[in-house]
Amino acid sequence: MAARITGGSPMPNPLQGASSYTVTVGELIIQFRAPGAALDLDFIGHVQSVCAAFMPWHTYSGKCGDLHVYTMRKLGGVCMYLARASVYANGCYLLRQTLADFARLFASAWCNTSDSLPLPDRLSLYSYYQSKLTQLSTGLPQRFRPVLQQLIRRLPNITNTDWPLVPNHTDLLENNIHVEPKTGELAGICDWVDTEISPFGMSLASIENILAVSKKDGLYYQANHQELRDLFYSELYKRMGDVSSWHKERVEDARLIGLFLANGWRYDDGMQLPAVEGDSPHVTKQTMLQKTIGDKIIGLLDIAERHSMGDNIGFHSLHRHTTLPNGTVHVESEAGKTGYKWSKATPVENVVLSEVHPAFFKLHEGHFVPFEFAEGPLPIVVNTIPETFLNEIAAYIADNGLDDMLALQIGDFAARRVHKDLAMLATAEIEVQWGQDGENLTLCASINDLVDTSGNVQTGWNVTVPGEKKEPFLPDGPPPGEYWLTSKKGNGAVTHKVWVGNTASITPELVVKELIGMGYLHG
């Protein structure tokens, strides 16, 4: 059907959603969506009338059986992940253009939102924001209380009728921001399904995703980030038109309220609670690298196969399990007699080097440095790894800015090829916190043992069938590799953490029993 609509030859996208299948034909995208996942084109149309210059248009192209079919324009440029090196070069020279266009995106909501936009009830918005901010004011560390109490007092400034309600994209992460790497121009924004109607300025804090690089231990800002931030706001206010100090104060109110509501929480046993001092920022969305850098992953797999390293070398996303206590390392071992493996923080002094091997390596200053370990012998003889292979992999990772995104993984990947059902060997990482303030661990289980695999995020890739075309996914099921289990809490929030409300001494068997009882694993 895609060929009939476009007159071209469709190619599957490197990522497929849990409820959709997407192909590309030249500059067009054709998406097939499940019966219960139809797009709200009326709402998207309202958003498009405001932000048309920055979003792909969407049209309904009929049905294919029970599936809804949509045609969209393909965004140009590359995601911000891949444009970093070029736009940050020379004192962020090209980033100035990105920020100017980003300001134009926000100003379009101020200038173009029409009276026909369906609006939520302002009193309901006020009540919801007041409730959430009050909860944060009493629960966050003391140093935030004066700011939050002031924001509660000023909340009517952005919910009254004299302040506009506009479309706010709530997921302006680096993978959704597309930039032309040679010019810095903003090519467009994707994933407009993540849009809400709320006070103007509520998503302005997303500028931090452009000014800083997010790493495991926090945000790293460019040296001239304040100058760049001032440039952004100068351009924003110029394009908004007649802006007074009254307007600027309310823009800042909305930015701070949006910042707290988006980032001030932790999740405990399915409940949304204010974050506490020392909390690690447990992410609610693990970046789907096969969507943002699928071609780079394929490039790495090609290098591994060309050097005959596909049997033992794979690649893994660099994502935080949890914050490791000082003096500990992650060590994977057999989880008792459960048939699974688990990885826990282990004191360095308890690690017997002759009984473990490095499993994951991060490129650091041109060298591969081990950071996670596993029990047992190394599954490959070290001197059989060609130096030319390591040099080429290191250069590829560095040249493509992947050193904070992908790790080199050592494992027995050849075993995956002898199974007719490759999905049998796909595994899922289940991140567990035992008790409210208890131990964190990762249980590695067969993906076929999970009750629900929809929405899981792929985190590991390896050569599957030598000589065949590589794709970082299989459209008809999970490929051999590793996945990060997603967990939906009672309030609907999606996270990678599974909180187990058990204070008993932790054992592998008890962990598995709890996960079965909570509906994550089959019994």
Side-chain angles (χ1 to χ4, degrees), residues 83 124 147 156 204 220 226 249 266 284 286 321 376 395 494-495 508:
S124 297
V147 176
L204 273 172
Y220 284 76
Q226 190 55 55
E249 288 174 0
R266 63 187 171 97
T284 56
Q286 160 71 358
H321 297 278
V494 177
T495 174

Side-chain angles (χ1 to χ4, degrees), residues 72-320:
M72 311 170 198
R73 175 179 62 86
K74 183 180 177 182
L75 285 179
V78 298
C79 66
M80 190 66 188
Y81 270 123
L82 302 179
R84 274 186 196 156
S86 59
V87 299
Y88 286 167
N90 302 317
C92 299
Y93 177 76
L94 294 182
L95 190 64
R96 297 168 187 272
Q97 180 63 54
T98 310
L99 290 167
D101 288 345
F102 209 55
R104 190 159 58 91
L105 165 66
F106 282 96
S108 67
W110 176 269
C111 299
N112 298 337
T113 298
S114 70
D115 295 336
S116 64
L117 183 72
L119 300 180
D121 179 70
R122 289 178 180 267
L123 181 58
S124 297
L125 281 181
Y126 173 83
S127 298
Y128 174 78
Y129 295 154
Q130 182 189 47
S131 172
K132 291 298 183 182
L133 292 173
T134 300
Q135 189 180 1
L136 290 174
S137 177
T138 57
L140 285 180
Q142 176 70 33
R143 66 181 183 276
F144 295 112
R145 193 160 299 171
V147 176
L148 284 162
Q149 290 176 343
Q150 182 181 26
L151 289 175
I152 293 171
R153 292 192 297 269
R154 296 177 62 84
L155 184 56
N157 289 342
I158 67 167
T159 56
N160 285 346
T161 56
D162 56 359
W163 192 251
L165 300 180
V166 303
N168 278 306
H169 195 305
T170 61
D171 197 22
L172 284 170
L173 302 175
E174 288 180 294
N175 55 308
N176 287 334
I177 301 170
H178 279 237
V179 175
E180 295 289 353
K182 294 183 179 179
T183 65
E185 293 175 303
L186 184 64
I189 305 294
C190 62
D191 280 356
W192 285 89
V193 174
D194 297 304
T195 302
E196 66 180 19
I197 306 301
S198 55
F200 176 80
M202 289 279 284
S203 58
L204 273 172
S206 58
I207 187 181
E208 310 305 322
N209 296 325
I210 292 180
L211 295 174
V213 176
S214 178
K215 297 191 176 183
K216 286 189 174 183
D217 52 350
L219 293 174
Y220 284 76
Y221 283 90
Q222 303 304 304
N224 57 343
H225 68 92
Q226 190 55 55
E227 174 198 350
L228 296 168
R229 187 177 283 103
D230 292 343
L231 181 151
F232 167 80
Y233 280 103
S234 175
E235 183 70 16
L236 173 65
Y237 294 141
K238 181 180 76 173
R239 290 187 172 274
M240 286 172 62
D242 187 15
V243 176
S244 66
S245 59
W246 180 90
H247 292 95
K248 293 180 181 179
E249 288 174 0
R250 279 150 184 77
V251 167
E252 180 63 6
D253 289 340
R255 184 189 74 86
L256 287 173
I257 290 171
L259 180 67
F260 275 110
L261 292 180
N263 298 282
W265 308 99
R266 63 187 171 97
Y267 293 91
D268 188 354
D269 198 22
M271 296 180 62
Q272 185 188 55
L273 299 172
V276 297
E277 199 73 65
D279 266 356
S280 61
H282 299 314
V283 299
T284 56
K285 290 190 177 180
Q286 160 71 358
T287 301
M288 295 185 178
L289 294 185
Q290 67 267 41
K291 176 179 180 179
T292 58
I293 58 168
D295 57 333
K296 307 303 179 187
I297 294 170
I298 292 172
L300 288 168
L301 295 176
D302 282 337
I303 296 172
E305 184 174 353
R306 182 156 32 85
H307 288 271
S308 300
M309 288 287 103
D311 286 356
N312 295 109
I313 300 294
F315 302 94
H316 202 274
S317 69
L318 282 165
H319 58 258
R320 170 182 286 176

Side-chain angles (χ1 to χ4, degrees), residues 416 419-427 446-448 474 477-481:
R416 303 181 189 276
H419 283 256
K420 192 171 184 179
D421 182 4
L422 292 176
M424 289 289 292
L425 287 163
T427 57
S446 167
I447 202 165
N448 284 355
L474 291 178

